[in-house]
Amino acid sequence: MTDPHAYRSAVTPLLVVPDTDAALRFYAEALGAEELFRLTMPDGAVVHAQMLVHGALVMLADENRDHGNLAPTSLGGAPVLMQLTVPDVDAVVARAKASGAEELVPVGDRFYGERAGRIQDPFGHVWIVATVTEKLSTQEMQNRMDEMIAAVAAGDT
């Protein structure tokens, strides 16, 4: 087993889900996640789990209303989006959709040098899945965004 303490970052997301066991299975199948460990209560509730998703540490826990930990499905959506950068966005999104994710924004080439799309997992979390296609400077991205906005304003889309 990989040492879970070797993958600490400055910010580590903790996803609250209605069923951590099902979420870990989904993330393994859909996103290639590797479960590191889980801590459970006597009743089987998962109070803490960790997984690696393409090298990034993500923590999970079962929803627990008594502690104020609510899943997006209980809140009517999630205010935070997860970005996952992968070598092949098309393959990952196709696998996620086949595993039960909903495609919110189809995969396509973006002005900022990524091929990206958005999916919502069965637990209510939204993931931007992307592959870097070009290394652009901030100014190049700004120029492309300005051109895109001007084209939309002029009705050229």
Side-chain angles (χ1 to χ4, degrees):
M1 174 189 288
T2 306
D3 177 8
H5 302 291
Y7 292 93
R8 294 282 179 199
S9 62
V11 175
T12 302
L14 188 156
L15 305 180
V16 176
V17 295
D19 182 345
T20 299
D21 188 57
L24 287 164
R25 285 193 307 273
F26 170 81
Y27 294 132
E29 183 178 311
L31 303 178
E34 172 194 353
E35 180 180 337
L36 299 177
F37 72 90
R38 67 176 79 186
L39 304 174
T40 58
M41 296 295 286
D43 67 359
V46 179
V47 295
H48 184 81
Q50 292 186 2
M51 65 180 178
L52 287 178
V53 182
H54 291 268
L57 180 65
V58 177
M59 300 183 297
L60 297 104
D62 282 340
E63 181 174 70
N64 184 324
R65 291 179 176 274
D66 292 339
H67 288 104
N69 297 338
L70 300 175
T73 50
S74 293
L75 295 170
V80 176
L81 308 177
M82 305 291 291
Q83 168 123 4
L84 176 62
T85 303
V86 298
D88 185 350
V89 63
D90 294 281
V92 171
V93 168
R95 193 169 64 237
K97 287 170 49 180
S99 299
E102 177 186 354
E103 182 178 59
L104 301 178
V105 177
V107 173
D109 294 327
R110 308 293 182 227
F111 73 88
Y112 43 85
E114 292 180 352
R115 183 163 175 75
R118 285 186 187 198
I119 58 170
Q120 184 174 35
D121 68 35
F123 314 98
H125 293 283
V126 176
W127 297 75
I128 302 167
V129 185
T131 297
V132 175
T133 56
E134 301 177 81
K135 296 217 180 224
L136 300 173
S137 70
T138 303
Q139 189 59 55
E140 288 170 314
M141 287 187 278
Q142 184 67 55
N143 292 345
R144 286 183 180 185
M145 187 175 77
D146 292 345
E147 291 169 7
M148 180 183 70
I149 291 169
V152 168
D156 294 340
T157 60

